[in-house]
Every structure is written in C-alpha cells, then in structure tokens.
Amino acid sequence: ILNVEQSPQSLHVQEGDSTNFTCSFPSSNFYALHWYRWETAKSPEALFVMTLNGDEKKKGRISATLNTKEGYSYLYIKGSQPEDSATYLCASGAQKLVFGQGTRLTINP
Amino acid sequence: DAGVIQSPRHEVTEMGQEVTLRCKPISGHDYLFWYRQTMMRGLELLIYFNNNVPIDDSGMPEDRFSAKMPNASFSTLKIQPSEPRDSAVYFCASSLEPPYGYTFGSGTRLTVV
C-alpha cells in the first residue's frame, strides 16, 4: 500500500511571506508525483506533474522540486497572496493516484 | 471542452433509497476515476476504468456500491441501499495516459438522512 504523507496539515502565512511544505512518498516503484491546488467549494486543479529525480517545475510564484531517491517533494510559494489560500494536495502513482491528506494554507492579509 | 461534468451537484436522500451519481468525462480521456472525499479519510479511490473497462474496484466499500461505464462519454456510480455513513463528496475525474494529471469534476455532495 502506498502511503503519501504531507506536512504540515495546516499553515498560516502573512501576505508577502514565502512558504513551503512537504510531500513524502515511498521511493520504491516510483512513477510520478502530482501536485494539485484545491480551493474551498471547488474541485482540485492540477499544478504540476513530475517524473524524474531532480525535476523542478514552476508556475508563476509557485514551484516544486522532486527527490525520488529519498521520496519527497517540496512545494514553494514565493510572496504569498490571499488568492493562494487553498489546500495543496500531492499524489503519487501511475494510473491510480494515492493522495495525501493535504496542507491547508491560509494567507493572512 | 466543458471539462468533467458531474450530476447532480447535491443529493439528499433517505436511508435505504437508491442513489445514482453521473459523470461525463472529457472527450478523448481514456481513464475515468471515482473518488470519495471525507474528513476522516481524505480523497480515496473507489474504482477506475480504462477504455470503459473497470480495472481496479478494490476501493469500493461493499456490495452496495456499483459503477458502470457503458460508453466512453458516460459513467454512473450507484449506491443501493444508501446509508448515512455514505454521506460524502463524490468526485469523478478523467485523464489521458499517465503521467498526465487528472481533471476533476465539481463533485456531488451526497447526504443520506
């Protein structure tokens, strides 16, 4: 059984500050690591998919890194804005994704 | 494309009744997934299909749950009889071949009273 863990569970950050959080996953039989952004009352939206050790992806102020040998990925948000408030999910797997419980991020104006 | 379309958005039903949730995936996506979201367990996979064929239904909680995909543009998740512990948000998602990510529907919030 694949266990995907995220930390912290929740995070409060001041507007303008940068932040990061972690996703850990079993490194054996790794296929792909996904990050999703999930706003309240909406559905999860794909941010990144990473497959190679050392991969780095960036979209605006958000970026992610991947270490498949040790089984972790970091998501970074630079200069947080109120619209970044959401739950960030990571998931690992091939066709079938196993999701972590998410990190709930709140940006305080 | 209109994205993944789920109906209904909300469903309130009495215990013992049959409930049918519907999903239309994105055209051209070969994979379709049904997930359930609860506070306790987060997002858990119930079943997924590839080219309309069920591949893994190990997440279906019990025989009261069944899912079908009669063609590439439609899938149903049925609960019969429904119980209060089935109350959750049910998401349908579709995708291309991995490692492409999922596109989720807007979910169906089911309440069984």
Side-chain angles (χ1 to χ4, degrees):
Chain A
I1 294 178
L2 200 61
N3 255 355
V4 178
E5 306 283 345
Q6 291 187 246
S7 64
Q9 279 192 319
S10 65
L11 195 52
H12 290 254
V13 173
Q14 208 59 35
E15 182 177 353
D17 287 351
S18 296
T19 187
N20 65 85
F21 27 92
T22 307
C23 172
S24 61
F25 53 88
S27 53
S28 59
N29 300 317
F30 173 81
Y31 187 87
L33 191 284
H34 299 244
W35 281 100
Y36 288 81
R37 183 170 177 274
W38 194 358
E39 291 181 72
T40 303
K42 295 188 178 180
S43 51
E45 290 184 353
L47 281 174
F48 306 116
V49 180
M50 295 180 287
T51 56
L52 298 176
N53 186 45
D55 254 355
E56 291 188 28
K57 299 273 183 170
K58 186 174 180 183
K59 185 186 276 190
R61 295 178 292 98
I62 304 176
S63 60
T65 60
L66 179 66
N67 183 322
T68 61
K69 293 182 179 178
E70 296 182 40
Y72 64 84
S73 174
Y74 293 132
L75 190 81
Y76 300 89
I77 302 177
K78 186 177 176 182
S80 305
Q81 299 296 309
E83 59 265 28
D84 296 329
S85 296
T87 296
Y88 291 83
L89 292 172
C90 70
S92 186
Q95 300 92 337
K96 173 178 165 178
L97 294 182
V98 175
F99 284 83
Q101 292 277 49
T103 292
R104 182 185 292 275
L105 177 65
T106 304
I107 308 301
N108 301 316
Chain B
D1 200 318
V4 176
I5 300 172
Q6 288 188 247
S7 64
R9 288 294 303 270
H10 302 274
E11 177 82 36
V12 180
T13 191
E14 291 186 348
M15 183 172 65
Q17 295 298 306
E18 178 180 295
V19 175
T20 300
L21 312 182
R22 296 172 176 80
C23 176
K24 176 178 166 54
I26 290 175
S27 176
H29 281 194
D30 296 328
Y31 289 84
L32 183 139
F33 306 85
W34 283 99
Y35 277 83
R36 179 169 68 176
Q37 189 237 343
T38 61
M39 287 295 291
M40 291 295 293
R41 300 169 72 99
L43 266 175
E44 51 177 344
L45 179 67
L46 300 176
I47 185 171
Y48 80 93
F49 296 83
N50 178 217
N51 292 322
N52 313 338
V53 176
I55 303 300
D56 185 343
D57 66 354
S58 58
M60 296 286 259
E62 46 199 273
D63 291 346
R64 297 184 298 106
F65 285 68
S66 62
K68 293 182 180 178
M69 192 164 184
N71 57 62
S73 58
F74 184 64
S75 176
T76 59
L77 177 69
K78 188 175 291 187
I79 308 172
Q80 164 64 15
S82 57
E83 297 182 2
R85 61 191 166 123
D86 302 329
S87 298
V89 181
Y90 291 80
F91 284 101
C92 175
S94 68
S95 77
L96 296 167
E97 285 284 337
Y100 284 96
Y102 295 174
T103 300
F104 282 86
S106 50
T108 294
R109 181 175 295 277
L110 174 65
T111 304
V112 183
V113 297

